[in-house]
Amino acid sequence: MQSSWSAPFTQYELDETFFDEMFADPGAPRSQYEALYQVLLTMSAEELDRYQQAADLSFLHQGITFTVYGNEKGTEKIFPYDLLPRIITKDEWDTIESGLKQRITALNLFLHDVYHEGKILADGILPYELIYTCQHYRREMQDVDVPRNIYVSVVGTDLIRLENGRFAVLEDNLRVPSGVSYMLANRQVMKRTLPTLFSGYGVRPVSHYGQVLLATLKALAPRQNIDPVVVVLTPGVYNSAYYEHTFLARQMGVELVEGRDLLVHNNVVYMRSTRGLQRVDVIYRRIDDDFLDPLAFRPDSALGVAGLLNAYRAGNVALANAIGTGIADDKALYAYVPKIIRYYLDEDPILPNIETFLLEDPKQRAHVLANLDKLVVKAVGESGGYGMLIGPHSTKKEQEKFHDLIVANPRNYIAQPTLSLSRAPCFIDGKVDSRHVDLRPYILYGDEIRIVPGGLTRVALKKGSLVVNSSQGGGSKDTWVLSE
Amino acid sequence: MLSRVADSLYWLNRYLERAEHTARLTSVYLDIILDQSSQVGDARYQHFLKILELDGEVDGNFTLENLFRLIVLDEANPKSIVSCVNLARENARQVREQISTETWLQINQLYLMMERPSKTLWRQQPQLFMQEMMRNFYLVGGITDATMSHNEGWQFIRLGNYMERANSLVHLVDTHFQTYTGQDPAAEDYLDWVTLLRSCTAFEAYCNVYTANLQPARVAEYLLLNSEFPHSLHFSVNMMYQVLQQVAAITKTQRNMQLNRQAGRLRSLLRFSQIDEIMAAGLHPFLADVQTQCQQIHESIYQVYISFPIAEELPV
């Protein structure tokens, strides 16, 4: 078997338990990778290394960095970029696109329902407890009508590819998903470092994301007879995604504001400008609910705008995303999403869920507690790869810790079988090796749902690791969606 | 434009101008300190520190490496070039979406050069290092002018430039003339006046106007009152005045009466003053007055555009 591999793939290995993005058999690439494979065979490791360095330098010079919390010096890091693209065929993308549209449509209807009549609860499809015990439920939003009834306008859904090659949804990110700037930066760096590889491959463009985002946000404006003023609200320069906030503001040509630039008077939001005060119509906020308005939520927040919730409830300003959307991406609610899709749309889910154990159910809990060494346990409210137990990679002590945590607060945790993230070839330490990847496409919902063909392929750079988050040593790849 | 953004753009370029000024002085003084016997060299070193207002903070003997570390690379010294560059970049980061990508790349380039200075280069060829740095500073200015829309933000950038330039120039000339007795300089003191001119990139330009005949009053006249030379006080104040007119036109503000008057008054002072009268009445009080007026203009800019009272602006 080993003999069928040629340089630079001589160290490459396939593992039957994981789908390989590039190879069907040793040395035999899938058809969409064939042309890429042929080009790579002509390249030496030194050549690849040179391209990799050119790409890294380009990120450093552009200051495309993120901030890692919890260490003092050198907190600004570049997001590791892998040279080799990940390719998605037209058919695969069509399924992903229709599946995501279906899912987001259903989740929006669900949010509107829960914050109004609550039919799905009254009909017994979902237990009331699930909503009312969710830390992201915002009672303040009850019976509030949001513009166009759209709660989630900007979504980044995490998909993984199972052993059988099918894509499945791992997580819905309906609050403030990040990473889209890396999708765009990766593409730009790819075009610059390997132009010959890129051209002629028929890759669908992603660079119009900024325009689509702006159109989406403008569609939400409460005052539709004027050209609405859109702003991006950032927590500021010390936030880990600050680069992305500036990037998006620049791509859209709108102001990047901080909480201190805004004020609310008579339930109208203004920004403080050199011309005096200027009214704001739509806020693309990159601040969590908790910090948005010190009068309504956390009083110690210095990032928010006092009175913003009331201005929002009065219908004088639109927020993307709405307040309280976190109930729909709660990890315990996730298990019910297939039911939610059937309830509101009367359709079968196009993209499947991962099997999920709810720990409030005594039977499921007993099963999970007995199998902590085989399962993945996640805290329902956390994101970014924090608060997670990966059974097979954990110590006895960690398992005991999670055992106690689950018993103390079962609602706060869910468990899933060990994830079978697919693997893709990556250029690491001078050779091509396989690493686990996921895929986060970005969905926009204004007057209609639009998905830019592509997404962020995140890579777990540590060999064998299943954690792709940038805060935990993940990197990323350019993602090519083919037009034919 | 957001008030906070105007504030950051203004300070971005004040810090850049400050760093550039210090870099130019360092480059000029490295030259003459090395040119002289150790005793005179030491005196010039002290004089150099005085210009940078660092004279109280240094003890120990002069070595090239100490000097270089303190003024160029020491992040603990808020007046060092690296500190100013860091602050400039921090401001640029806060208004990343307002400046062009090309400008940002160049500021980042400068930052990376200072953050990871090539040790062999600055130790063995400090002048080469300084030249590279100066080139980077000039590139920021040139790239900004060439790639950024000449809009309100660009005006605030220039405002920061010229406000800082006027301030540093006043301080430099003031310090330099403290030891001036009114006598024409002896031949060996010529170097001091050449140094002053070179610190403002003015030596060649001065010679073109007055020939190489260096007379302190002429030097002062050129640096303070010449209206054509970009590093003169008069030129800087003229630019400040023009920028403020443009900003007022763009923002259609009604609140700038006082600011307009202050900037116009300072401009007239420099336009109509004569150097012999200034020297007769005392250069120091004249410069102190200019400094005060600059400070007032700075404060008025804040009152009109950046931290204005909200009550004046709310709709009735």
Side-chain angles (χ1 to χ4, degrees):
Chain A
M1 284 291 238
Q2 206 61 15
S3 59
S4 47
W5 292 111
S6 322
F9 291 91
T10 39
Q11 317 246 359
Y12 202 78
E13 285 168 359
L14 296 182
D15 180 335
E16 288 172 356
T17 45
F18 303 108
F19 184 86
D20 191 277
E21 293 286 335
M22 185 162 180
F23 293 100
D25 289 302
R30 301 177 192 283
S31 62
Q32 71 271 28
Y33 279 96
E34 181 63 38
L36 171 66
Y37 181 66
Q38 291 305 330
V39 172
L40 290 176
L41 289 185
T42 66
M43 286 185 178
S44 63
E46 291 74 33
E47 215 173 328
L48 283 169
D49 207 38
R50 223 172 35 243
Y51 288 129
Q52 181 70 51
Q53 283 179 17
D56 289 348
L57 210 61
S58 163
F59 280 103
L60 184 68
H61 284 174
Q62 292 182 69
I64 303 182
T65 55
F66 70 98
T67 313
V68 179
Y69 297 122
N71 69 349
E72 239 171 75
K73 180 73 186 172
T75 45
E76 244 184 81
K77 288 193 166 176
I78 64 167
F79 189 25
Y81 165 80
D82 184 71
L83 201 56
L84 308 178
R86 190 254 189 96
I87 303 175
I88 293 169
T89 63
K90 182 178 184 301
D91 286 349
E92 286 169 346
W93 180 254
D94 288 346
T95 311
I96 291 173
E97 191 174 28
S98 52
L100 290 173
K101 281 184 174 170
Q102 177 195 49
R103 197 171 172 101
I104 300 311
T105 307
L107 287 171
N108 245 309
L109 291 168
F110 163 74
L111 280 161
H112 183 267
D113 184 21
V114 166
Y115 282 118
H116 289 79
E117 304 91 336
K119 280 190 233 140
I120 194 168
L121 303 171
D123 287 348
I125 309 291
L126 264 164
Y128 281 98
E129 290 81 356
L130 195 66
I131 302 302
Y132 295 148
T133 57
C134 177
Q135 54 169 314
H136 298 295
Y137 176 65
R138 295 282 175 257
R139 200 158 270 101
E140 297 83 349
M141 289 298 292
Q142 193 61 47
D143 295 322
V144 176
D145 289 325
V146 304
R148 286 179 183 265
N149 288 337
I150 292 170
Y151 284 77
V152 285
S153 302
V154 186
V155 183
T157 303
D158 291 342
L159 305 177
I160 62 173
R161 206 203 274 258
L162 308 173
E163 314 86 286
N164 59 15
R166 279 191 76 189
F167 281 96
V169 176
L170 180 64
E171 241 173 72
D172 301 287
N173 296 293
L174 307 175
R175 285 168 281 160
V176 280
S178 62
V180 73
S181 60
Y182 299 113
M183 168 180 91
L184 299 168
N186 285 353
R187 175 59 54 82
Q188 221 177 0
V189 168
M190 167 61 73
K191 284 202 266 188
R192 227 174 260 178
T193 41
L194 292 170
T196 44
L197 190 62
F198 186 82
S199 67
Y201 226 107
V203 180
R204 294 179 66 188
V206 291
S207 57
H208 55 297
Y209 180 83
Q211 285 94 301
V212 182
L213 177 60
L214 182 63
T216 301
L217 295 170
K218 281 189 172 178
L220 300 176
R223 296 192 293 169
Q224 278 295 337
N225 52 343
I226 45 116
D227 190 24
V229 175
V230 177
V231 299
V232 178
L233 176 61
T234 173
V237 69
Y238 299 107
N239 184 267
S240 66
Y242 180 73
Y243 166 75
E244 177 156 305
H245 306 160
T246 64
F247 180 86
L248 291 173
R250 206 167 62 244
Q251 292 281 313
M252 291 192 284
V254 305
E255 297 285 1
L256 178 69
V257 304
E258 295 179 21
R260 58 192 160 123
D261 298 320
L262 300 180
L263 61 103
V264 177
H265 178 71
N266 279 344
N267 285 341
V268 173
V269 183
Y270 297 93
M271 64 178 164
R272 188 188 250 288
S273 80
T274 54
R275 289 167 192 238
L277 298 179
Q278 213 180 333
R279 181 166 173 178
V280 173
D281 298 287
V282 183
I283 302 176
Y284 175 34
R285 48 98 170 207
R286 297 292 300 251
I287 296 182
D288 291 336
D289 286 355
D290 278 344
F291 296 93
L292 211 48
D293 180 348
L295 288 178
F297 307 113
R298 277 178 65 154
D300 60 339
S301 168
L303 307 172
V305 187
L308 183 58
L309 175 71
N310 276 346
Y312 185 48
R313 283 160 54 120
N316 290 332
V317 68
L319 293 177
N321 292 339
I323 295 170
T325 56
I327 52 168
D329 69 2
D330 180 282
K331 291 189 175 71
L333 185 109
Y334 164 86
Y336 291 91
V337 174
K339 284 185 184 169
I340 289 174
I341 292 173
R342 287 195 190 93
Y343 181 79
Y344 291 105
L345 303 178
D346 198 20
E347 294 170 7
D348 282 329
I350 299 169
L351 292 170
N353 255 20
I354 309 292
E355 184 186 10
T356 300
F357 302 105
L358 293 169
L359 300 178
E360 269 196 312
D361 179 282
K363 248 172 80 187
Q364 297 187 33
R365 183 165 66 235
H367 170 75
V368 168
L369 290 177
N371 291 288
L372 277 177
D373 56 333
K374 299 185 194 75
L375 298 168
V376 176
V377 180
K378 294 177 183 171
V380 294
E382 299 275 350
S383 60
Y386 296 98
M388 211 167 142
L389 174 81
I390 298 184
H393 297 189
S394 65
T395 61
K396 263 264 135 352
K397 221 173 140 193
E398 285 166 337
Q399 290 167 26
E400 278 163 23
K401 187 183 130 202
F402 269 81
H403 185 284
D404 296 346
L405 286 170
I406 291 168
V407 172
N409 186 1
R411 166 67 177 89
N412 202 36
Y413 296 90
I414 55 145
Q416 291 169 335
T418 313
L419 304 173
S420 60
L421 270 67
S422 61
R423 304 200 304 184
C426 296
F427 186 66
I428 287 166
D429 295 335
K431 56 177 201 268
V432 179
D433 206 348
S434 68
R435 291 291 185 272
H436 291 286
V437 297
D438 76 350
L439 174 65
R440 177 181 284 187
Y442 293 90
I443 304 108
L444 296 169
Y445 193 177
D447 45 349
E448 57 175 317
I449 297 181
R450 297 193 190 91
I451 309 175
V452 174
L456 188 65
T457 291
R458 298 187 298 175
V459 184
L461 287 173
K462 227 164 73 190
K463 195 171 177 72
S465 166
L466 292 165
V467 186
V468 295
N469 305 82
S470 59
S471 49
Q472 318 272 319
S476 74
K477 282 172 169 296
D478 189 19
T479 308
W480 296 1
V481 173
L482 303 184
S483 54
E484 290 303 326
Chain B
M1 159 165 296
L2 286 178
S3 298
R4 176 180 54 81
V5 169
D7 185 30
S8 285
L9 290 172
Y10 175 71
W11 277 103
L12 160 62
N13 269 54
R14 284 201 70 159
Y15 284 123
L16 279 178
E17 180 73 29
R18 194 173 292 178
E20 182 187 318
H21 179 71
T22 308
R24 190 179 305 109
L25 280 174
T26 308
S27 179
V28 169
Y29 272 82
L30 275 179
D31 242 12
I32 62 155
I33 290 168
L34 294 177
D35 242 12
Q36 300 285 316
S37 65
S38 68
Q39 208 185 352
V40 185
D42 205 47
R44 292 204 200 279
Y45 171 50
Q46 293 304 333
H47 182 66
F48 177 39
L49 292 176
K50 202 170 163 190
I51 295 171
L52 296 176
E53 298 177 275
L54 287 169
D55 41 339
E57 291 165 42
V58 189
D59 42 34
N61 289 328
F62 159 75
T63 66
L64 195 61
E65 187 166 333
N66 287 347
L67 169 93
F68 206 86
R69 270 191 198 286
L70 173 73
I71 293 166
V72 182
L73 303 173
D74 186 0
E75 292 191 33
N77 169 16
K79 290 168 183 156
S80 71
I81 299 173
V82 68
S83 296
C84 290
V85 167
N86 286 351
L87 284 165
R89 179 175 179 271
E90 196 61 15
N91 275 286
R93 229 160 86 78
Q94 300 197 23
V95 292
R96 176 63 192 86
E97 81 292 355
Q98 297 282 341
I99 55 179
S100 68
T101 298
E102 289 83 356
T103 298
W104 165 252
L105 286 175
Q106 184 55 35
I107 292 172
N108 213 32
Q109 188 78 43
L110 195 55
Y111 164 81
L112 292 173
M113 176 191 179
M114 302 300 298
E115 194 70 357
R116 301 163 194 186
S118 155
K119 209 164 188 176
T120 47
L121 183 61
W122 73 258
R123 278 210 174 135
Q124 287 164 16
Q125 293 174 297
Q127 279 295 20
L128 263 186
F129 186 83
M130 295 311 293
Q131 276 167 24
E132 172 71 14
M133 195 192 301
M134 287 306 299
R135 206 173 66 88
N136 274 319
F137 278 118
Y138 289 136
L139 277 172
V140 177
I143 290 173
T144 303
D145 287 352
T147 59
M148 217 180 129
S149 171
H150 289 197
N151 56 9
E152 191 186 353
W154 185 72
Q155 302 289 1
F156 273 100
I157 280 180
R158 297 207 309 157
L159 195 55
N161 265 132
Y162 289 110
M163 177 62 84
E164 185 65 28
R165 191 174 291 178
N167 274 304
S168 343
L169 191 78
V170 165
H171 181 70
L172 176 67
V173 173
D174 200 16
T175 314
H176 211 92
F177 273 82
Q178 269 171 22
T179 51
Y180 173 59
T181 54
Q183 306 290 312
D184 278 349
E188 63 266 28
D189 294 335
Y190 271 171
L191 193 56
D192 286 329
W193 299 101
V194 174
T195 304
L196 174 60
L197 286 168
R198 283 183 55 207
S199 303
C200 308
T201 69
F203 182 62
E204 288 165 20
Y206 173 92
C207 291
N208 280 337
V209 178
Y210 299 105
T211 73
N213 175 16
L214 294 178
Q215 291 177 20
R218 293 269 161 271
V219 172
E221 180 177 40
Y222 193 71
L223 292 181
L224 300 178
L225 303 181
N226 187 287
S227 63
E228 294 168 344
F229 182 65
H231 281 265
S232 83
L233 179 63
H234 187 186
F235 186 94
S236 304
V237 168
N238 266 346
M239 295 312 276
M240 259 157 57
Y241 179 80
Q242 283 176 23
V243 166
L244 287 170
Q245 296 286 313
Q246 306 241 24
V247 172
I250 294 169
T251 56
K252 303 186 184 72
T253 185
Q254 305 292 322
R255 286 185 265 112
N256 72 335
M257 298 273 285
Q258 166 151 308
L259 175 58
N260 200 20
R261 186 177 55 73
Q262 287 166 335
R265 182 179 61 187
L266 180 57
R267 175 166 163 257
S268 303
L269 177 69
L270 295 168
R271 191 163 167 189
F272 299 115
S273 290
Q274 289 196 301
I275 196 66
D276 38 353
E277 288 171 4
I278 295 173
M279 300 297 268
L283 185 61
H284 177 71
F286 176 80
L287 292 174
D289 178 42
V290 170
Q291 193 115 49
T292 310
Q293 294 197 36
C294 283
Q295 183 57 30
Q296 285 168 350
I297 293 171
H298 169 86
E299 282 162 16
S300 293
I301 292 169
Y302 269 70
Q303 269 166 31
V304 179
Y305 297 111
I306 295 166
S307 43
F308 52 84
I310 292 164
E312 286 179 15
E313 281 293 323
L314 282 175
V316 190

